[in-house]
Amino acid sequence: MQQTTNTILMIRPINFRMNEQTAVNNYFQEDIDLKNAEINNKAQQEFDAYVFKLKSFGVNVVVVSDTDKFDTPDSIFPNNWISFHSDGTVGLYPMFAENRRLERRDDILNELEKNDFLIENIVDYTSAEEEDLFLEGTGSIILDRVNRKAYCALSARADEDLFIEFCEDFEYTPVVFVANQTVEGERAAIYHTNVMMCVAETFAVICLDTIDNKAEKKNVLKHLKEDGKQVIEITEAQMHNFAGNMLQVRGANDELFLVMSKTAHDSLTQSQVAKINNHCKIISSSLETIETCGGGSARCMMAEVFLPKIKIKFKLLRINEFTTLGYCASNYYNFIYLL
């Protein structure tokens, strides 16, 4: 079991803009004075540069384009509706915004299978939408896959009972808390856990200031430290610059990288950067338009693919076996592929 993967699914946008349905509780979103076509064009440029940079470090990126079949302005953030696991299981998640539910597409699974990934089982929680209950994938859930722990900041998009059900189904120990941010002088729940914390192989980046309940904060720290994670704290101001929205990935030769936006990188202190560099190198890319209009950043754009690869078996056949199979062959050994 590994905490990190070298394969990422990303969705290239075709109708990206500020999503009015998610803005009601995503306080990171801002409107900008540009036409939607201009916003989408800028987002595509940022997306393409980001993918190019990831690939240049040896990260395997499976890119699927969004379609114009539905109005899906947030399709660039696939990790909220789907997750992929090393036993071949796919998780499908209930989404708060109705137009985000339209992002779920069977052809994306087909594309992964074309890339020789094995899908054996689908665990579907989407029926919870009928009861107005939501759990938005690895936006709401931060997984420590090695230590089998799942961290979740409860919000309108992360229902506690659904989270516990997920933990039972996937055999994770739940770590539940509430994370808040200051909005117009009031404390309001942060919409996704992955904007305030990131769990990597040997460290965790977290905005502890968002966990107002002392007992909950102490419990989160206890779990991180007992699993040997160095805790790298960020401030709430840094979190608003997406410094918590990071993901550790594997590149060429299994080298580890922490991926973040340029905005996040620029907000970090030299001391914080040095602490991260003690564990791995940093990859950053400019995502200003996507962050401003979408209220999500580098981590939100990546759905980690942990699915196993389809194994190709080889069988060595002698001349008499080929004859039996109806093949014409010389007196040499030959290989055939058996899927």
Side-chain angles (χ1 to χ4, degrees):
M1 177 67 66
Q2 286 188 327
Q3 175 65 15
T4 53
T5 178
N6 72 337
T7 302
I8 301 297
L9 169 71
M10 297 180 67
I11 308 299
R12 190 175 191 271
I14 62 169
N15 285 307
F16 179 81
R17 66 171 196 279
M18 180 176 176
N19 187 352
E20 64 283 348
Q21 293 188 19
T22 58
V24 296
N25 54 28
N26 180 344
Y27 306 113
F28 291 78
Q29 287 177 255
E30 298 177 36
D31 206 355
I32 59 178
D33 190 21
L34 287 175
K35 293 181 179 179
N36 287 341
E38 294 176 282
I39 292 171
N40 184 70
N41 184 55
K42 284 180 173 290
Q44 287 180 334
Q45 292 175 20
E46 292 172 1
F47 179 93
D48 293 341
Y50 183 24
V51 170
F52 179 83
K53 183 165 283 190
L54 288 172
K55 288 183 175 181
S56 73
F57 285 93
V59 181
N60 177 31
V61 185
V62 179
V63 176
V64 178
S65 178
D66 192 12
T67 74
D68 58 6
K69 184 177 180 180
F70 300 111
D71 178 30
T72 49
D74 279 337
S75 62
I76 200 170
F77 305 130
N79 79 307
N80 300 150
W81 66 266
I82 195 165
S83 66
F84 306 101
H85 303 265
S86 59
D87 63 351
T89 299
V90 172
L92 299 178
Y93 299 93
M95 305 295 292
F96 172 82
E98 290 186 14
N99 61 6
R100 293 217 61 191
R101 301 170 194 176
L102 303 173
E103 297 172 27
R104 298 190 289 255
R105 292 164 46 192
D106 290 339
D107 64 301
I108 291 176
L109 299 181
N110 296 337
E111 187 64 29
L112 287 170
E113 290 181 320
K114 288 179 186 177
N115 281 267
D116 296 330
F117 288 102
L118 181 64
I119 297 173
E120 302 232 77
N121 183 38
I122 295 178
V123 180
D124 189 345
Y125 300 101
T126 60
S127 62
E129 291 167 350
E130 299 169 8
E131 302 175 55
D132 289 331
L133 300 175
F134 313 107
L135 185 68
E136 297 192 337
T138 54
S140 298
I141 307 166
I142 306 297
L143 297 177
D144 183 339
R145 296 174 187 264
V146 174
N147 295 294
R148 308 305 294 175
K149 291 181 182 177
Y151 296 82
C152 182
L154 302 180
S155 71
R157 305 199 200 180
D159 178 78
E160 184 171 8
D161 289 339
L162 270 181
F163 173 58
I164 298 301
E165 182 180 346
F166 165 88
C167 290
E168 291 173 350
D169 291 341
F170 285 86
E171 298 183 343
Y172 280 88
T173 298
V175 183
V176 183
F177 56 97
V178 174
N180 294 313
Q181 62 189 125
T182 300
V183 181
E184 297 179 353
E186 302 288 335
R187 297 295 272 172
I190 294 172
Y191 79 106
H192 277 162
T193 316
N194 74 0
V195 296
M196 54 76 60
M197 76 177 295
C198 157
V199 174
E201 287 196 353
T202 54
F203 67 98
V205 177
I206 184 170
C207 183
L208 290 171
D209 290 344
T210 63
I211 308 176
D212 296 335
N213 183 288
K214 292 182 180 179
E216 291 179 350
K217 183 185 299 187
K218 184 177 180 180
N219 186 50
V220 169
L221 277 172
K222 176 183 76 72
H223 282 284
L224 292 172
K225 290 181 176 180
E226 75 182 14
D227 294 326
K229 309 291 186 186
Q230 180 186 5
V231 176
I232 302 173
E233 291 191 48
I234 57 173
T235 66
E236 192 168 329
Q238 289 174 319
M239 182 197 71
H240 278 282
N241 283 290
F242 296 98
N245 198 240
M246 305 168 169
L247 181 68
Q248 192 177 48
V249 301
R250 290 180 178 269
N253 302 315
D254 260 358
E255 185 174 9
L256 290 170
F257 298 95
L258 188 65
V259 184
M260 65 187 75
S261 71
K262 183 179 184 298
T263 301
H265 194 189
D266 290 346
S267 77
L268 297 176
T269 66
Q270 290 184 349
S271 174
Q272 289 167 326
V273 170
K275 288 176 181 177
I276 292 169
N277 283 334
N278 284 335
H279 298 272
C280 62
K281 295 177 182 176
I282 292 173
I283 298 174
S284 66
S285 191
S286 177
L287 302 171
E288 183 178 356
T289 306
I290 293 168
E291 290 175 325
T292 303
C293 294
S297 188
R299 194 276 170 266
C300 300
M301 296 169 66
M302 297 183 285
E304 304 153 277
V305 181
F306 284 90
L307 296 171
K309 281 278 194 173
I310 296 172
K311 294 180 180 179
I312 296 187
K313 299 178 181 179
F314 297 93
K315 185 176 180 182
L316 191 61
L317 301 180
R318 294 180 183 273
I319 182 64
N320 61 333
E321 293 177 280
F322 274 98
T323 304
T324 302
L325 292 171
Y327 286 94
C328 293
S330 61
N331 291 318
Y332 290 100
Y333 291 105
N334 291 274
F335 288 104
I336 67 170
Y337 294 104
L338 298 175
L339 294 181

